[in-house]
Amino acid sequence: QGIKDIATVAAGYCKETERSKSMYEITEQPFDTYEAYKNTMDQAVGDTVQNIVKIGYLLKVARDTGILQESGYTTMRDFAQAEYNIDASMASRFIGINDRYSVDGNSMMLDEKYKGYETSKLAEMLTLPDAIIEEIPPEMKRDEIREIKGQLKEEEKTSDIEVLIEKCETEPSDDSDLAAVLKQAIEENYEMFK
């Protein structure tokens, strides 16, 4: 008898779960075509990027002006965290996106040349030089942008010996730098040179 009651309760629970689950599912397709759906989605993503640029600008207003004086907040970070749960890192990223991608670097509007980029891609490109950003199309995947950043970092790394070689090739020298490096290497590895 007890097992039968448990089974009845479980069956009722499953039906209730199915009913509440269907309340959150879209049962009719609201778009006539994929193209209409894609256009709506593109608009929503574009609105998101535009809003991030606008938020970055408004955070700069809070940071750079006295607008917060009557609010009780002493810093933009305190305000952003308390009112919108935007932590310091996110606030910095929004401000960076505004600085880099808004019209004239200081407005609420996204510069036309960055329309079509997703927010995550713009954030990823923040540290790249302008010349490289200009070559990155909106369709490029974020992982590909990260790969470019990694390659750039590797290219920027130079060893001490490369710096000395370049210096020797471009500047006449009395070989004192090279001599100093060789002397240090010999002193550090004296046993090997005996």
Side-chain angles (χ1 to χ4, degrees):
Q1 179 75 14
I3 292 178
K4 188 175 182 184
D5 290 339
I6 292 171
T8 304
V9 169
Y13 174 77
C14 288
K15 286 180 186 174
E16 186 64 32
T17 302
E18 280 300 311
R19 242 182 316 207
S20 64
K21 185 177 172 186
S22 67
M23 289 176 31
Y24 301 108
E25 292 178 4
I26 297 174
T27 55
E28 294 181 29
Q29 186 172 337
F31 299 95
D32 294 333
T33 65
Y34 168 76
E35 184 178 349
Y37 163 77
K38 181 74 166 78
N39 288 339
T40 303
M41 187 64 153
D42 288 347
Q43 180 66 45
V45 169
D47 290 348
T48 301
V49 173
Q50 177 58 52
N51 285 330
I52 296 298
V53 168
K54 190 177 207 177
I55 291 168
Y57 178 81
L58 293 169
L59 290 171
K60 286 172 22 174
V61 168
R63 179 193 68 193
D64 299 341
T65 71
I67 195 73
L68 295 178
Q69 285 177 349
E70 59 191 69
S71 72
Y73 296 107
T74 56
T75 68
M76 172 274 295
R77 287 185 175 153
D78 292 343
F79 164 74
Q81 181 67 53
E83 295 292 329
Y84 302 103
N85 201 28
I86 296 174
D87 65 19
S89 174
M90 191 180 302
S92 176
R93 194 171 22 252
F94 290 170
I95 289 171
I97 287 172
N98 179 275
D99 288 343
R100 189 82 184 257
Y101 307 115
S102 69
V103 174
D104 298 326
N106 199 26
S107 76
M108 286 197 258
M109 297 303 301
L110 178 67
D111 192 315
E112 285 292 321
K113 64 184 174 185
Y114 299 112
K115 288 195 174 175
Y117 289 89
E118 297 166 13
T119 305
S120 61
K121 293 177 187 178
L122 293 177
E124 201 65 50
M125 295 187 309
L126 274 174
T127 59
L128 291 174
D130 290 338
I132 292 176
I133 290 175
E134 290 172 12
E135 300 299 319
I136 296 176
E139 309 79 47
M140 186 175 277
K141 301 209 179 307
R142 192 174 86 181
D143 289 342
E144 294 172 316
I145 296 170
R146 283 186 176 165
E147 191 175 313
I148 290 170
K149 283 174 64 174
Q151 290 171 357
L152 186 62
K153 257 185 195 169
E154 286 301 314
E155 287 178 17
E156 289 174 348
K157 288 181 183 176
T158 56
S159 69
D160 291 340
I161 196 74
E162 289 172 317
V163 170
L164 282 173
I165 290 171
E166 287 178 20
K167 187 176 180 182
C168 289
E169 289 173 351
T170 60
E171 295 177 12
S173 161
D174 61 1
D175 293 332
S176 62
D177 290 334
L178 186 55
V181 170
L182 289 173
K183 181 180 178 189
Q184 182 180 352
I186 291 169
E187 288 172 357
E188 290 173 0
N189 300 292
Y190 179 73
E191 293 299 315
M192 188 170 60
F193 291 104
K194 272 185 163 181

